[in-house]
């Protein structure tokens, strides 16, 4: 006997073939796996425009945005555009700020140096650096095209060196400062006798003969022989390392917190020697051609 039992009789759904028709959105499609095409760009997502070229992609996005906001009021459009472009705008602002900051930094670093100095063992509460920033700059007519480099306070003491280093081995006085001195970054170091002894024995500074031009050296020795100061070098030999500026109008106004004030010189590049010459000429009114 043949089993002629229909699927309707068994309660099982009928199986559709690939040629069966399916109605969607009022239209008939032969292949049920295909969705109806989208009616406008407002429902188009980024995946569908992913393979477009750059110009075509931007055009599609503009058209989609235009259609999406077509029924909005001006206020609604403005609020939507702000929301839509906020991250792009933020990134653009950050990029502009970074570029401007970098440009300003590069400009400032490339300006000629009027003076580059460091203060050792100074009292930051009494020290008045306007003697550089105002008086010295005005004396030579240096305008905004020139810069001043300064570092303070650096703490140095031979008697407590090991203890100071153990407490803070990453202190600038033990890390970056000696490197900058070695690279002729500073023209002059202003210090007390304690700091001067340290600078001499650790070779942070050079003998006067290496830093003063011949005419300056001669003029200064003739006028102020008692202001040339010797301290021990790394071998323990007395060496002319410093000039005593104690009691000068410059030292009194600077007021670093100690009465005995000395200049010593860590740089020997031509720019260092020029600025040393200017500073000594200014402090002692030597009348040199600078």
């Amino acid at each position: 006997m043949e089993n002629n039992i229909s699927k309707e009789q068994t309660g099982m759904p009928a199986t559709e073939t690939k040629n069966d028709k399916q109605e969607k959105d009022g239209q008939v499609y032969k292949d049920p796996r295909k969705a109806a095409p989208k009616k406008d760009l407002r429902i188009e997502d980024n995946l569908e425009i992913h393979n477009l070229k750059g110009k075509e992609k931007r055009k599609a996005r503009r058209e989609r945005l235009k259609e999406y906001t077509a029924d909005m009021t001006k206020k609604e459009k403005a609020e939507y555009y702000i929301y839509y472009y906020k991250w792009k705008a933020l990134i653009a602002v950050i990029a502009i700020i970074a570029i401007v900051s970098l440009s300003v930094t590069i400009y400032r670093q490339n300006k000629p140096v009027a003076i580059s100095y460091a203060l050792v063992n100074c009292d930051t509460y009494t020290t008045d650096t306007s003697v550089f920033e105002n008086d010295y700059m005005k004396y030579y007519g240096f305008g905004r095209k020139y810069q001043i480099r300064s570092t303070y306070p650096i703490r140095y003491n031979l008697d407590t060196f090991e203890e100071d280093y153990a407490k803070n081995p990453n202190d600038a006085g033990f890390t970056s400062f000696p490197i900058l001195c070695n690279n002729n970054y500073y023209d002059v170091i202003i210090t007390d006798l304690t700091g001067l002894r340290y600078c001499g024995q650790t070779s942070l500074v050079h003998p006067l003969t290496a830093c003063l031009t011949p005419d300056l050296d001669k003029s200064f020795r003739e006028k102020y022989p008692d202001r040339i100061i010797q301290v021990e070098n790394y071998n323990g030999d007395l060496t002319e390392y410093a000039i005593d500026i104690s009691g000068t109008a410059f030292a009194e106004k600077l007021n670093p917190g100690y009465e005995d004030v000395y200049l010593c010189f860590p740089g020997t590049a031509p720019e260092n020697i020029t600025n040393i010459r200017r500073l000594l000429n200014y402090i002692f009114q030597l009348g040199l051609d600078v």
Side-chain angles (χ1 to χ4, degrees):
M1 176 181 289
E2 295 182 359
N3 295 329
N4 295 326
I5 302 174
S6 67
K7 292 183 178 179
E8 288 80 0
Q9 293 175 318
T10 61
M12 297 177 62
T15 303
E16 294 180 349
T17 66
K18 65 179 181 179
N19 294 323
D20 290 338
K21 295 182 179 180
Q22 180 181 19
E23 183 176 336
K24 287 187 177 181
D25 296 333
Q27 299 185 47
V28 177
Y29 296 90
K30 293 182 178 180
D31 190 346
R33 294 170 298 176
K34 291 186 178 180
K38 294 177 179 177
K39 295 179 179 179
D40 54 47
L41 290 171
R42 286 181 291 178
I43 56 176
E44 181 179 294
D45 58 29
N46 290 329
L47 183 60
E48 292 175 312
I49 63 174
H50 178 72
N51 293 325
L52 295 178
K53 294 182 179 179
K55 186 176 181 181
E56 294 174 342
K57 186 183 295 185
R58 289 191 295 271
K59 182 179 179 182
R61 284 175 175 167
R62 286 196 300 269
E63 290 178 356
R64 180 175 61 182
L65 188 61
K66 183 178 179 180
E67 290 193 29
Y68 186 83
T69 59
D71 299 328
M72 293 182 181
T73 64
K74 290 184 178 179
K75 181 180 179 181
E76 290 173 337
K77 285 183 180 180
E79 291 175 349
Y80 181 77
Y81 285 139
I82 291 173
Y83 174 81
Y84 187 83
Y85 290 109
K86 64 180 180 180
W87 291 114
K88 292 182 179 179
L90 180 61
I91 292 172
V93 170
I94 293 174
I96 291 172
I97 293 174
I99 292 171
V100 171
S101 299
L102 180 61
S103 299
V104 171
T105 300
I106 292 173
Y107 170 73
R108 289 177 177 175
Q109 289 179 344
N110 289 333
K111 290 196 295 184
V113 179
I115 191 72
S116 178
Y117 68 91
L119 287 165
V120 171
N121 297 338
C122 71
D123 184 341
T124 56
Y125 293 101
T126 66
T127 301
D128 182 5
T129 59
S130 68
V131 71
F132 282 112
E133 297 156 2
N134 296 328
D135 303 353
Y136 176 80
M137 296 292 280
K138 288 180 180 178
Y139 184 82
Y140 286 111
F142 293 135
R144 294 181 179 180
K145 292 182 178 180
Y146 285 81
Q147 63 171 311
I148 293 178
R149 294 174 178 167
S150 62
T151 299
Y152 62 93
I154 299 294
R155 304 294 180 190
Y156 283 145
N157 188 331
L158 282 174
D159 297 332
T160 62
F161 167 76
E162 292 184 0
E163 180 182 347
D164 295 338
Y165 181 79
K167 287 180 179 179
N168 191 3
N170 295 321
D171 184 87
F174 306 123
T175 56
S176 59
F177 186 73
I179 294 173
L180 291 173
C181 288
N182 188 56
N183 290 333
N184 297 322
Y185 184 85
Y186 297 103
D187 303 316
V188 60
I189 292 176
I190 301 170
T191 182
D192 58 0
L193 184 58
T194 300
L196 177 59
R197 289 178 56 241
Y198 181 96
C199 291
Q201 291 194 30
T202 58
S203 300
L204 278 181
V205 294
H206 300 280
L208 295 181
T209 52
C211 305
L212 306 184
T213 57
D215 61 331
L216 172 58
D217 185 70
K218 180 180 179 181
S219 176
F220 197 85
R221 289 178 184 278
E222 290 175 352
K223 294 180 180 180
Y224 304 102
D226 57 334
R227 287 188 176 270
I228 296 176
I229 305 301
Q230 295 181 332
V231 292
E232 293 181 355
N233 63 13
Y234 65 94
N235 287 324
D237 300 325
L238 288 176
T239 306
E240 294 179 343
Y241 274 127
I243 291 176
D244 184 359
I245 62 170
S246 306
T248 62
F250 175 88
E252 293 294 327
K253 185 169 184 178
L254 180 63
N255 193 20
Y258 35 79
E259 293 183 359
D260 296 330
V261 187
Y262 303 95
L263 298 182
C264 49
F265 311 106
T268 57
E271 295 81 4
N272 300 132
I273 292 174
T274 296
N275 289 338
I276 292 168
R277 181 183 178 89
R278 286 173 178 160
L279 183 60
L280 289 175
N281 182 66
Y282 169 68
I283 293 174
F284 293 100
Q285 298 294 302
L286 297 174
L288 298 175
D289 180 13
V290 293

